[in-house]
Amino acid sequence: MSVSRILLGLLEPQAQHGYTLRQRYDDWFGASRPLKSAQVYATLQRLDRDGLIDLAGVTAGEGPDRRMYAITGSGVVELERWLDEPEVPDVTGTRRVLFAKVLIALSSGRPADVLLDRQRQAHHARLREMRVRRQSGDLIDQLDADFEMYHLDADLRWIDGAVGRLDRLAAIVLSGSTDGA
């Protein structure tokens, strides 16, 4: 997820302080991806350096001065480019690691069905967490939980399909063949 582009989007309606931006980010995305204050301010510095935001004012208060940031015309153009660009489906991360673990387990003579069973249990535990979140959360939490639940469901279908083909896959992996025959 592009924190910098999300911050641009949060700044577009009106100039805001870094603290306010972090609160808005956490309200919308923090349940699945909490954001540290240092990351907000480092990102704001980069956006300012790149001409995508400007310092719109400084207010004094208890502690350090509070800087107000506003999106620039270039920032709006970049935000529009980001919003218009379709996301490449993510096959990295957990999904790719699980696939790699299956192949490595099979190539070393280890039982891949055991690791797939453990992964299935972890997915079911996460599904339970997401169901609770969906039931107790606001509309944003519900939509976020649905998004993750649908992906977990797809992963579980893949796990079930992989378990059904482990014997054939093991034969291919152990033979060193790459043609899938």
Side-chain angles (χ1 to χ4, degrees):
M1 184 154 32
S2 175
V3 172
S4 61
R5 298 321 179 249
I6 290 171
L7 292 181
L8 285 175
L10 293 174
L11 280 170
E12 188 177 30
Q14 65 186 23
Q16 297 178 59
H17 296 100
Y19 178 79
T20 307
L21 289 168
R22 180 173 178 229
Q23 282 183 314
R24 295 270 321 273
Y25 183 98
D26 285 347
D27 287 347
W28 288 0
F29 310 107
S32 60
R33 292 182 177 243
L35 193 59
K36 295 182 183 345
S37 293
Q39 186 177 3
V40 171
Y41 293 107
T43 303
L44 290 171
Q45 285 178 341
R46 282 192 303 278
L47 291 170
D48 186 30
R49 177 199 68 207
D50 296 343
L52 302 176
I53 64 171
D54 276 331
L55 185 61
V58 178
T59 55
E62 296 178 21
D65 291 341
R66 297 182 70 196
R67 298 172 184 267
M68 179 85 75
Y69 298 93
I71 193 168
T72 63
S74 296
V76 172
V77 169
E78 177 57 24
L79 176 62
E80 288 174 353
R81 185 203 59 74
W82 179 68
L83 289 171
D84 288 341
E85 185 177 285
E87 290 298 308
V88 175
D90 182 13
V91 292
T92 59
T94 303
R95 290 169 183 87
R96 267 328 223 192
V97 171
L98 181 56
F99 178 70
K101 283 183 174 183
V102 168
L103 293 180
I104 296 301
L106 292 173
S107 72
S108 65
R110 292 181 173 88
D113 58 333
V114 173
L115 78 88
L116 288 171
D117 285 342
R118 280 194 301 267
Q119 191 64 52
R120 183 185 292 114
Q121 290 170 6
H123 272 57
H124 281 294
R126 185 65 178 163
L127 273 171
R128 287 189 293 276
E129 292 172 15
M130 290 297 99
R131 283 188 191 108
V132 169
R133 184 164 165 228
R134 185 173 62 182
Q135 290 171 352
S136 63
D138 62 15
L139 185 57
I140 291 173
D141 288 332
Q142 292 168 7
L143 222 66
D144 189 35
D146 282 346
F147 186 83
E148 186 167 344
M149 289 171 66
Y150 293 143
H151 284 85
L152 289 166
D153 186 55
D155 291 350
L156 287 166
R157 287 194 311 266
W158 180 86
I159 288 169
D160 290 341
V163 167
R165 294 182 270 179
L166 283 178
D167 290 339
R168 290 183 313 181
L169 185 58
I172 292 168
V173 169
L174 291 171
S175 74
S177 173
T178 58
D179 64 6

